[in-house]
Amino acid sequence: MLVVMQHGATKEQVERVVKTIEDMGYQARPMPGAQRTAIGLVGNDGRVNGSRIESLEGVAHVIHVTKAYKQVSREWRPENTIVTIAPGVSFGGTEVHVIGGPCSVESEEQILAAARIVAAAGGTALRGGAFKPRSSPYSFQGMGKQGLELLDLARRETGLPIVTEALDEEGAHLVAEYADCIQVGARNMQNYSLLRAVGRIGKPVLLKRGMAASITDLLLSAEYILAEGNDQVILCERGIRSFDQLTRNLFDLTAIPLVQRLSHLPMIADPSHGTGLRDKVIPMGRAAVAAGADGIMVEVHPNPDRAMSDGGQSLHPEQFQQLVTEVRAIATVIGRSLGAGVAAPADAARMGTPAHAAG
Ligand code: PEP
Ligand code: MN
């Protein structure tokens, strides 16, 4: 339930509502807005009788959130939530961002080359796994902490913010020391202790749809993160399992406008895992932006044939450049623009502004 206060409601009136919600055995989440304050009621597992609250002074009206997910829903917050992973790199506004990089961090040479390719092409964030959730325990599992340090090096050189995956609660704290945005992968979408942990950490989170998850499941998983007080969540369509063997996954384009209708959170798409086929990544990346995605995340490798994971779906550098050029044009047609991102440290120094670079 959401309690909307009258324009000009006093601090005392807001406090009275909070106290009443707590007396009723629920938790209150005040959300001061530019126009008026709303107070969310959470902790209920069914419809709450709002009559006691409706009659309090300063209350304009009470909205019953009809969905199983509450804070994630558009009923709860009608306007888009903007998720900022670094200055100049925000998801959920008019800008569309391209996150590029290899599946895994493999070496200093490889990640620096990949970061330069992404930055030069107009990508605005660098992806790359240091902890890899591989289907087989015998496959390359990632470079771990050393991989995070290399991502930090790439960020310092190019200014690109880092999106990288955490596999478990303990790892999330380590990843958070390096990442600008913590990725929770498809296999972990329903790892509720990990979701709670990244909710408490408070850094932006990229939550990918599980390969057998419904859209409602995805939104309920995001609710775990928001329930911990972190609304900086970007959702991502990355393909779901289907009976067809010709693609790795079935890339669900409809999920993009569907999620944007149901939730205020930004929604991006990953056509690399979504198709699993290099030559399908450009057309489906274009399609995702045309469908209204707030960004795309794409695997690109300086030498895909030598990649230690997902080489077959990784773009060659010139293909990544082509994709960025094409989605830039598509974004313009639908009244959006490609994000310019952060200035590389060298450019920023020339312009006399501090570059974004943690570390
Ligand atoms: C990835 O982005 O590298 C990845 C493992 O993706 P997913 O969780 O969607 O399989
Ligand atoms: Mn991958």
Side-chain angles (χ1 to χ4, degrees):
M1 195 170 80
L2 192 65
V3 184
V4 181
M5 301 301 289
Q6 287 163 2
H7 181 71
T10 65
K11 198 163 148 272
E12 289 69 30
Q13 288 170 337
V14 171
E15 278 166 9
R16 183 95 204 107
V17 172
V18 170
K19 176 94 183 30
T20 307
I21 290 173
E22 288 169 355
D23 282 351
M24 289 164 73
Y26 306 115
Q27 295 119 49
R29 298 263 190 281
M31 294 175 281
Q35 295 300 317
R36 58 192 179 180
T37 294
I39 303 153
L41 180 153
V42 290
N44 58 308
D45 199 14
R47 193 179 164 96
V48 173
N49 182 350
S51 55
R52 194 172 149 195
I53 295 168
E54 258 161 345
S55 59
L56 293 174
E57 262 177 57
V59 172
H61 56 271
V62 162
I63 298 171
H64 289 280
V65 180
T66 55
K67 303 286 191 302
Y69 43 86
K70 306 290 175 196
Q71 301 186 54
V72 159
S73 75
R74 276 234 185 249
E75 292 169 286
W76 189 276
R77 188 185 294 163
E79 70 277 11
N80 285 358
T81 288
I82 309 290
V83 178
T84 300
I85 68 168
V89 187
S90 295
F91 293 80
T94 57
E95 288 186 346
V96 174
H97 288 276
V98 181
I99 305 167
C103 181
S104 310
V105 181
E106 299 167 3
S107 66
E108 177 175 330
E109 190 192 6
Q110 175 249 17
I111 195 64
L112 287 180
R116 288 183 198 122
I117 291 160
V118 171
T124 42
L126 178 67
R127 62 146 291 141
F131 296 93
K132 293 305 302 178
R134 304 305 300 282
S135 299
S136 162
Y138 307 116
S139 301
F140 174 57
Q141 303 285 310
M143 292 181 77
K145 187 164 190 274
Q146 202 190 345
L148 296 175
E149 280 160 6
L150 294 178
L151 285 166
D152 181 39
L153 186 66
R155 170 172 50 200
R156 279 190 271 127
E157 187 179 305
T158 59
L160 293 173
I162 301 301
V163 181
T164 192
E165 180 161 358
L167 294 183
D168 49 38
E169 198 178 332
E170 191 189 333
H173 292 277
L174 177 63
V175 166
E177 288 175 31
Y178 294 86
D180 297 283
C181 179
I182 306 170
Q183 178 173 323
V184 174
R187 291 160 189 78
N188 266 320
M189 191 204 82
Q190 287 174 313
N191 179 340
Y192 300 119
S193 56
L194 176 60
L195 296 175
R196 285 205 176 94
V198 295
R200 285 193 294 269
I201 287 170
K203 275 210 161 179
V205 176
L206 174 64
L207 177 63
K208 300 186 82 174
R209 181 180 181 182
M211 49 194 92
S214 68
I215 287 168
T216 301
D217 291 337
L218 171 65
L219 295 173
L220 280 168
S221 286
E223 186 79 15
Y224 273 85
I225 304 172
L226 271 76
E228 295 296 333
N230 182 3
D231 72 353
Q232 293 290 287
V233 178
I234 304 166
L235 302 170
C236 181
E237 165 61 34
R238 51 77 72 208
I240 47 175
R241 279 276 159 86
S242 88
F243 49 83
D244 204 309
Q245 303 295 307
L246 291 183
T247 54
R248 182 175 177 187
N249 289 297
L250 182 68
F251 189 50
D252 182 6
L253 273 177
T254 316
I256 298 164
L258 249 171
V259 165
Q260 288 172 333
R261 167 65 68 87
L262 295 170
S263 175
H264 51 84
L265 296 174
M267 177 69 169
I268 70 165
D270 170 356
S272 303
H273 295 87
T275 62
L277 302 165
R278 181 182 303 138
D279 67 335
K280 306 295 181 286
V281 173
I282 292 180
M284 296 320 284
R286 291 190 305 235
V289 173
D294 296 301
I296 51 174
M297 180 157 87
V298 175
E299 288 181 343
V300 52
H301 193 286
N303 186 350
D305 296 338
R306 301 194 52 184
M308 294 171 80
S309 59
D310 285 349
Q313 66 188 34
S314 298
L315 295 183
H316 290 282
E318 60 281 7
Q319 291 178 305
F320 183 77
Q321 169 77 67
Q322 180 194 337
L323 175 60
V324 176
T325 305
E326 292 178 357
V327 298
R328 187 188 301 283
I330 293 168
T332 312
V333 170
I334 57 172
R336 303 186 74 167
S337 61
L338 216 60
V342 290
D347 294 343
R350 259 201 311 279
M351 294 186 301
T353 49
H356 164 76

